[in-house]
Amino acid sequence: MTINRRLRERNLRARRPLRCLPLTPVHRQVRLQWCRERSTWNCADWGRIVFSDESRFLLRPDDRRKHDLKWRAVGRMEAGQSQVEVAKWLNVNKSVVSKIWKQFIETGTIKRKEGSGFTKVLFMQDDQWSVCIPLTSAHRRARLNWCLEHHAWTHDQWANVLFNDESRFSLNTDSRRVSIWREPGTRYHPSNIREIYSFRGGSLLVWAGISSSRRTPLHIFSGGTLTAQRYRDEILEPYLRPYRDQIGHNLI
């Protein structure tokens, strides 16, 4: 009998911890004091208050946010809320919530069914989950043909090849892939909540190239989006053109 089966028998399932902003003891004390000072305010007193905030809206579908909202809806129903109440909270039709709950009961997850297009595949490497895109038959055939055409190349021929790529490094450690084991109805228990910071610190995009005997300097892009013009001005002109002049016109 597998470990997962034993855990399911005890009504334990793997879930992602609820994320929230961390409050220090000072924050809690200040908020409690603020509430006590205004506990006796009447409607006229509150009428002088303007509550304001900022919100960011994405101009494209945010699948991750939809995924998180579905799990939060499931958590509310596990905590005892009705489908009607959850539908009002999500501002959607009750049938949408009913489908989410039905899928969760039958499969234990709210992941959408596989459709067309590329499918992401997760695999474990060095105790960390990595994501890759599976190769189609055309990809495999093209790569095999390329290898067959170059399998007899000499060291001098490979010396003309420069391998280069970009990589993005996150400046925080929140991979959002941490799961916990919890019982139904305990989603909002303090032990199942993980504190996060709203401002994550961003990321760095770097570029570099290597060959059999040389390497380029490591280039760090200073913010913004990497466009064709930026790639020309920051990579092709300062790095690849001088590198080609050193190697010769046989550079690949």
Side-chain angles (χ1 to χ4, degrees):
M1 186 173 291
T2 63
I3 296 177
N4 285 334
R5 192 178 305 170
R6 288 289 182 87
L7 290 171
R8 291 193 184 96
E9 288 179 354
R10 294 179 178 270
N11 213 11
L12 292 172
R13 297 180 181 274
R15 297 288 183 265
R16 293 185 180 179
L18 184 67
R19 297 189 297 272
C20 69
L21 295 176
L23 292 179
T24 65
V26 176
H27 292 154
R28 296 186 178 94
Q29 184 177 0
V30 170
R31 293 190 177 195
L32 178 60
Q33 182 179 355
W34 189 92
C35 293
R36 286 175 174 172
E37 292 174 355
R38 293 160 178 80
S39 62
T40 58
W41 275 24
N42 55 33
C43 186
D45 294 326
W46 287 109
R48 300 193 301 270
I49 302 298
V50 176
F51 296 93
S52 64
D53 197 7
E54 303 83 31
S55 296
R56 183 180 299 275
F57 298 92
L58 296 178
L59 301 182
R60 58 176 177 78
D62 189 359
D63 293 336
R64 185 181 62 196
R65 176 170 174 78
K66 291 180 180 179
H67 188 271
D68 290 344
L69 285 176
K70 288 181 179 180
W71 276 120
R72 292 176 66 182
V74 170
R76 284 173 175 260
M77 286 184 282
E78 286 183 332
Q81 290 190 8
S82 66
Q83 295 184 8
V84 175
E85 293 173 332
V86 175
K88 290 181 179 180
W89 173 71
L90 286 175
N91 195 23
V92 298
N93 192 281
K94 178 181 175 295
S95 61
V96 177
V97 178
S98 178
K99 291 179 180 179
I100 295 175
W101 182 247
K102 181 179 178 182
Q103 182 183 1
F104 173 75
I105 294 298
E106 294 177 351
T107 65
T109 182
I110 48 88
K111 182 180 180 182
R112 68 180 182 88
K113 296 181 179 180
E114 299 295 341
S116 59
F118 290 113
T119 303
K120 292 182 178 180
V121 177
L122 296 177
F123 62 94
M124 182 67 77
Q125 181 179 10
D126 297 333
D127 296 330
Q128 294 291 331
W129 287 103
S130 300
V131 181
C132 71
I133 297 178
L135 297 178
T136 64
S137 299
H139 293 152
R140 297 187 181 96
R141 185 166 54 253
R143 294 191 177 196
L144 177 61
N145 291 337
W146 191 91
C147 294
L148 293 175
E149 293 172 359
H150 298 83
H151 79 280
W153 269 27
T154 64
H155 183 274
D156 292 337
Q157 288 175 306
W158 284 111
N160 296 324
V161 178
L162 176 68
F163 298 92
N164 66 94
D165 198 6
E166 304 88 31
S167 293
R168 185 175 296 278
F169 296 90
S170 176
L171 300 181
N172 66 86
T173 58
D174 184 14
S175 65
R176 297 192 177 187
R177 296 194 183 103
V178 178
S179 297
I180 58 174
W181 290 98
R182 65 172 176 82
E183 297 178 348
T186 61
R187 176 177 177 81
Y188 299 101
H189 192 274
S191 62
N192 298 331
I193 298 177
R194 181 164 57 94
E195 296 180 341
I196 64 168
Y197 290 93
S198 179
F199 303 98
R200 301 181 178 277
S203 59
L204 287 177
L205 181 64
V206 300
W207 174 93
I210 60 171
S211 66
S212 61
S213 59
R214 304 177 184 221
R215 67 181 180 212
T216 67
L218 179 67
H219 178 77
I220 301 177
F221 294 94
S222 57
T225 304
L226 180 58
T227 61
Q229 182 176 353
R230 286 194 65 186
Y231 193 86
R232 180 198 65 189
D233 297 339
E234 299 185 33
I235 301 300
L236 296 182
E237 293 295 339
Y239 296 109
L240 294 185
R241 186 180 292 274
Y243 196 91
R244 186 197 62 179
D245 295 339
Q246 297 178 10
I247 300 297
H249 293 285
N250 294 325
L251 175 66
I252 299 177

